[in-house]
């Protein structure tokens, strides 16, 4: 009997459940909101439960009515962050042909405005410049409409500053917004007790094949200095920039500091000691090009480096090498010992150049400055005349590059400039002083990019005929005035052969636009020349069109340029591969 009674009760329950489901069948609902727009409307929509569940597959009449009763409170709470605390809401819910229609007319009412702002910092850090700047830039002032989001963001910023500046015991002793609906006003009170500022403690490095003395030179701080998270990041960036390391983790152990120094541990993983590189390329000026390189990332425990490169192209062969000794700032500053040999032949000149030199490179802010002295011997054939030149050249060079993307910038610029010279009194074949400036700017324009390039040079020389070909100015080629061959422009001798000049002026304006992530087209205008008299020169000109193909390692540029300043406007094809800056 007990078994039969259990079965009967189960069947009865199932029948009752089926009847309930039939009586409360699945419904559909449509929600309309009027009276507000923009960010307020978006916030209301996000917080309205009825709207979130409108497409639920098991939505019933009972659930619709329940959510409708909640809607006014949800709308009211949604408007408070925008300063509206007393909105008038008219709501309606009605079934129409099997579809429930819920409508809400919202009148936000009078907004609450800030009456007073009480920001208070107490403790040892109350005069900390970062806190002072925060207080001066607080986003809400007396008379402003009360907005909760800027207040919350400012509060988070205050706590972030405290952490970053080493005030690890800082506490918000008061964080209130008191709203008076009778006067539609709000009083803001935000108080922080800073507590003591912690300091940097001992810095320990993982075991490495580099000396402790070298690693300590990377530190932008010393133990005992006030803690600053920005300097922790600066240390990490400096270690990455040094190229010794494959992995860099700088870990401040704030939990181990109790009213005392914060120990720092630096976990480093070395890169492969030796890197070999090989590459191939093509340029109209150089023809096919093969490159082989060797980089010894560290030679010894003191972090010395050595690199060598061999480049073979249609112009000839170049071999170069440099031994670098890191200085006070190992990531940017070094003493370089260099040597090189070039065998280069163009339509204009044929030269063999040997160099050996020493230079010091240092970072000055965001600029790199190199001071160098190089001995150069060059055998050159120019305009049918063969000469030899020996020069001891002193030089100072500056360079800087800023870009949102090194390979394909939407916005950026590069600049390099230098002055070099030699004197017969110091063993050179002639006295000369030369200045050269190069720059390029990339900027968004009309849905594409505007690329502006310039190259200026000037030489004062005692005996121009003794100046080697590598120190004379020529124009023309892929990176100069397109439409002309490499080094085809410049002063000529009586036979019409180009011999190079004392001065250089080249400019280019280009507009490119990409059709998709890979392919684009360009229009450009180039002008320039090399010349011997600053007051008497002619700029050769070219215009053209180009195809652009983006690749992971740079941009392929195929340009067709017409030399419009030459009779017949001859065309020339230029092909180059590489980054824009």
């Amino acid at each position: 009997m007990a078994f039969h009674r259990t079965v009967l009760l189960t069947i009865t329950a199932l029948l009752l459940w089926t009847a309930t489901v039939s009586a409360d069948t699945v419904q559909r609902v449509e929600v309309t909101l009027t009276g507000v727009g923009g960010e307020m409307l978006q916030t209301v929509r996000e917080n309205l439960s009825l709207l979130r569940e409108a497409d639920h597959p098991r939505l019933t009449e009972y659930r619709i009515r329940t959510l409708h009763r909640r809607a006014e409170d949800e709308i009211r709470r949604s408007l408070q962050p925008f300063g509206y605390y007393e909105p008038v809401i008219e709501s309606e819910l009605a079934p129409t042909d099997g579809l429930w229609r819920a409508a809400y007319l919202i009148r936000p009412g009078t907004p609450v405005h800030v009456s007073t702002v009480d920001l208070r910092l107490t403790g040892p850090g109350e005069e900390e410049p970062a806190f002072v700047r925060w207080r001066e830039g607080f986003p809400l002032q007396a008379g402003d409409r009360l907005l909760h989001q800027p207040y919350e963001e400012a509060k988070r910023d205050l706590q972030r500053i405290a952490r970053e500046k080493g005030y690890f015991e800082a506490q918000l002793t008061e964080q209130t917004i008191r709203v008076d609906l009778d006067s539609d006003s709000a009083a803001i009170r935000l108080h922080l007790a800073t507590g003591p500022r912690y300091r940097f403690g001992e810095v320990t490095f993982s075991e490495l094949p580099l000396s402790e003395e070298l690693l300590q030179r990377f530190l932008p701080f010393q133990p005992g200095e006030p803690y600053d998270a920005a300097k922790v990041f600066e240390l990490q960036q400096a270690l990455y920039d040094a190229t010794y390391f494959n992995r860099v983790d700088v870990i401040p152990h704030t939990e181990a500091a109790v009213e005392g120094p914060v120990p720092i541990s630096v976990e480093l993983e070395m890169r492969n000691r030796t890197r070999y590189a090989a590459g191939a390329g093509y340029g109209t000026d150089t023809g096919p090009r093969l490159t082989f390189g060797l980089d010894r990332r560290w030679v010894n425990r003191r972090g010395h480096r050595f690199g060598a490169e061999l480049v073979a192209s249609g112009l000839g062969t170049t071999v170069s090498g440099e031994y670098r000794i890191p200085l006070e700032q190992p990531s940017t500053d070094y003493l370089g010992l260099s040597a090189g040999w070039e065998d280069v032949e163009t339509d204009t000149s044929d030269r063999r150049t040997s160099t050996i030199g020493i230079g010091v490179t240092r970072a000055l802010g965001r600029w790199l400055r190199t001071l160098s002295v190089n001995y150069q011997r060059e055998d050159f054939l120019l305009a049918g005349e063969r000469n030899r030149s020996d020069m001891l050249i002193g030089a100072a060079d500056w360079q800087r590059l800023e870009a949102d993307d090194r390979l394909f910038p939407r916005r950026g610029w590069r600049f390099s400039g230098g002055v070099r010279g030699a004197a017969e009194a110091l063993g050179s074949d002639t006295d000369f002083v030369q200045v050269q400036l190069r720059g390029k700017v990339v900027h968004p324009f009309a849905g594409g990019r505007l690329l502006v390039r310039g190259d200026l040079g000037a030489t004062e020389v005692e005996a121009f005929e003794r100046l080697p070909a590598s120190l004379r100015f020529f124009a023309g080629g892929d990176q100069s005035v397109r439409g002309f061959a490499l080094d085809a422009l410049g002063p000529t001798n009586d036979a019409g052969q180009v011999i190079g000049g004392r001065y250089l002026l080249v400019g280019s304006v280009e507009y490119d636009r990409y059709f998709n992530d890979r392919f684009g087209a360009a229009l450009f205008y180039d002008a320039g020349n090399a010349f011997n008299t600053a007051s008497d020169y002619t700029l050769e000109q070219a215009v053209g069109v180009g195809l652009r193909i983006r690749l992971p390692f740079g941009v392929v540029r195929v340009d067709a340029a017409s030399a419009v300043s030459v009779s017949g406007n001859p065309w020339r094809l230029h092909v180059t591969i590489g980054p824009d800056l």
Side-chain angles (χ1 to χ4, degrees):
M1 287 295 291
F3 172 76
H4 290 89
R5 192 161 45 249
T6 301
V7 172
L8 181 61
L9 288 172
T10 301
I11 293 172
T12 302
L14 287 171
L15 290 172
L16 288 172
W17 178 81
T18 302
T20 301
V21 172
S22 300
D24 197 5
T25 57
V26 176
Q27 304 288 305
R28 293 187 306 122
V29 63
E30 181 182 275
V31 179
T32 303
L33 296 164
T34 56
V36 294
E39 192 176 352
M40 280 199 296
L41 176 60
Q42 181 63 28
T43 303
V44 170
R45 294 179 65 86
E46 290 172 356
N47 293 329
L48 197 60
S49 302
L50 182 57
L51 191 59
R52 289 201 305 268
E53 297 189 23
D55 296 323
H56 196 284
R58 296 194 179 213
L59 190 63
T60 64
E61 177 183 344
Y62 174 78
R63 184 63 175 166
I64 290 172
R65 292 186 181 278
T66 299
L67 297 178
H68 174 67
R69 286 193 294 271
R70 297 180 187 174
E72 290 194 18
D73 285 340
E74 291 175 339
I75 293 171
R76 189 169 286 106
R77 287 195 300 271
S78 298
L79 297 183
Q80 288 178 2
F82 300 94
Y84 296 98
Y85 279 75
E86 295 183 294
V88 176
I89 303 168
E90 297 179 12
S91 59
E92 181 181 1
L93 178 67
T96 305
D97 299 328
L99 176 67
W100 289 87
R101 298 184 185 275
Y104 304 95
L105 173 61
I106 306 168
R107 296 186 176 88
T110 303
V112 170
H113 285 79
V114 177
S115 58
T116 59
V117 179
D118 180 12
L119 307 176
R120 194 173 304 171
L121 300 167
T122 59
E126 61 181 307
E127 298 302 324
E128 165 67 42
F131 287 142
V132 173
R133 288 192 297 271
W134 171 87
R135 184 166 50 200
E136 293 173 349
F138 191 76
L140 295 174
Q141 302 297 324
D144 293 346
R145 177 157 61 95
L146 176 63
L147 297 172
H148 287 213
Q149 184 175 344
Y151 167 82
E152 293 295 335
E153 289 176 353
K155 185 168 67 174
R156 287 193 295 269
D157 285 344
L158 178 60
Q159 295 169 308
R160 173 186 55 79
I161 291 169
R163 291 191 304 271
E164 291 180 351
K165 293 300 182 181
Y167 296 94
F168 299 122
E169 297 178 23
Q171 290 186 343
L172 289 171
T173 56
E174 185 155 0
Q175 43 180 324
T176 60
I177 299 177
R178 289 192 169 88
V179 177
D180 183 353
L181 294 180
D182 291 335
S183 61
D184 292 320
S185 64
I188 295 175
R189 292 168 63 88
L190 195 53
H191 297 173
L192 178 78
T194 69
R197 186 176 188 181
Y198 284 54
R199 296 181 175 273
F200 284 111
E202 181 185 5
V203 181
T204 57
F205 294 88
S206 53
E207 189 171 344
L208 297 169
L210 299 176
S211 70
E212 180 73 15
E213 187 273 335
L214 171 67
L215 296 173
Q216 289 291 331
R217 298 211 309 263
F218 283 97
L219 298 181
F221 57 84
Q222 294 299 320
E225 289 184 15
Y227 182 89
D228 191 332
K231 291 189 176 181
V232 175
F233 177 78
E234 186 179 341
L235 170 60
Q236 179 147 347
Q237 194 60 49
L239 290 167
Y240 267 124
D241 291 343
T243 71
Y244 295 124
F245 311 110
N246 189 51
R247 179 178 62 86
V248 177
D249 290 322
V250 180
I251 307 167
H253 295 282
T254 55
E255 74 289 347
V258 180
E259 295 188 8
V262 179
I264 308 289
S265 64
V266 183
E267 300 293 332
L268 301 169
E269 179 182 286
M270 300 296 293
R271 290 186 170 185
N272 292 333
R273 187 169 189 173
T274 304
R275 181 178 72 93
Y276 300 95
Y282 179 85
T284 311
D285 289 345
T286 63
R289 183 175 63 253
L290 296 176
T291 304
F292 302 93
L294 164 70
D295 185 9
R296 189 72 164 170
R297 291 190 171 108
W298 73 95
V299 175
N300 50 37
R301 287 179 54 80
R302 295 187 296 278
H304 295 190
R305 297 185 58 176
F306 174 74
E309 185 177 61
L310 166 66
V311 180
S313 71
L315 292 179
T317 303
T318 300
V319 181
S320 60
E322 184 178 34
Y323 189 91
R324 293 186 176 185
I325 302 172
L327 300 177
E328 292 86 351
Q329 298 295 328
S331 58
T332 55
D333 300 353
Y334 62 90
L335 172 70
L337 306 173
S338 61
W341 179 78
E342 290 183 287
D343 183 356
V344 175
E345 182 178 355
T346 70
D347 293 341
T348 303
S349 66
D350 182 1
R351 63 181 176 86
R352 290 168 183 82
T353 308
S354 302
T355 59
I356 185 170
I358 183 171
V360 175
T361 297
R362 295 184 185 275
L364 302 177
R366 306 188 74 166
W367 292 85
L368 278 182
R369 185 200 65 191
T370 301
L371 303 178
S372 62
V373 176
N374 294 276
Y375 170 75
Q376 173 181 306
R377 166 167 287 186
E378 182 167 308
D379 293 295
F380 60 99
L381 177 65
L382 193 62
E385 295 186 10
R386 185 170 294 279
N387 288 283
R388 168 177 284 186
S389 171
D390 289 284
M391 295 282 189
L392 184 65
I393 302 172
D397 296 282
W398 290 264
Q399 60 178 314
R400 180 172 172 178
L401 188 151
E402 299 285 343
D404 52 9
D405 186 316
R406 292 293 181 94
L407 289 178
F408 187 77
R410 288 286 299 168
R411 188 188 307 270
W413 60 275
R414 66 167 166 78
F415 173 86
S416 62
V419 57
R420 66 200 67 250
E424 284 189 75
L426 297 177
S428 297
D429 284 347
T430 187
D431 297 331
F432 86 94
V433 175
Q434 186 177 87
V435 176
Q436 188 166 14
L437 306 175
R438 290 189 175 117
K440 189 173 184 179
V441 176
V442 181
H443 197 275
F445 179 75
R449 301 184 307 164
L450 193 65
L451 298 91
V452 180
R453 168 171 54 86
D455 195 346
L456 303 173
T459 309
E460 289 298 324
V461 59
E462 184 70 21
F464 182 76
E465 67 277 5
R466 294 183 182 179
L467 196 67
S470 61
L471 293 174
R472 301 186 187 190
F473 289 124
F474 301 86
D478 300 338
Q479 305 299 325
S480 181
V481 183
R482 286 165 286 190
F484 297 86
L486 176 66
D487 293 350
L489 300 178
T492 59
N493 60 11
D494 293 339
Q497 298 171 305
V498 177
I499 60 172
R502 289 185 167 98
Y503 303 99
L504 178 70
L505 176 60
V506 172
S508 173
V509 178
E510 179 175 317
Y511 172 76
D512 70 9
R513 185 163 185 169
Y514 280 74
F515 314 123
N516 51 40
D517 290 341
R518 175 163 292 188
F519 296 99
L523 299 171
F524 59 86
Y525 168 78
D526 296 346
N529 211 335
F531 43 95
N532 275 328
T533 305
S535 60
D536 182 18
Y537 61 90
T538 300
L539 295 182
E540 301 290 354
Q541 303 174 64
V543 297
V545 296
L547 172 68
R548 301 291 180 262
I549 306 172
R550 286 184 63 182
L551 297 175
F553 51 82
V555 177
V556 177
R557 304 172 193 84
V558 182
D559 293 324
S562 173
V564 295
S565 58
V566 176
S567 177
N569 302 334
W571 288 83
R572 184 176 178 87
L573 185 68
H574 296 266
V575 179
T576 58
I577 303 173
D580 287 310
L581 289 176

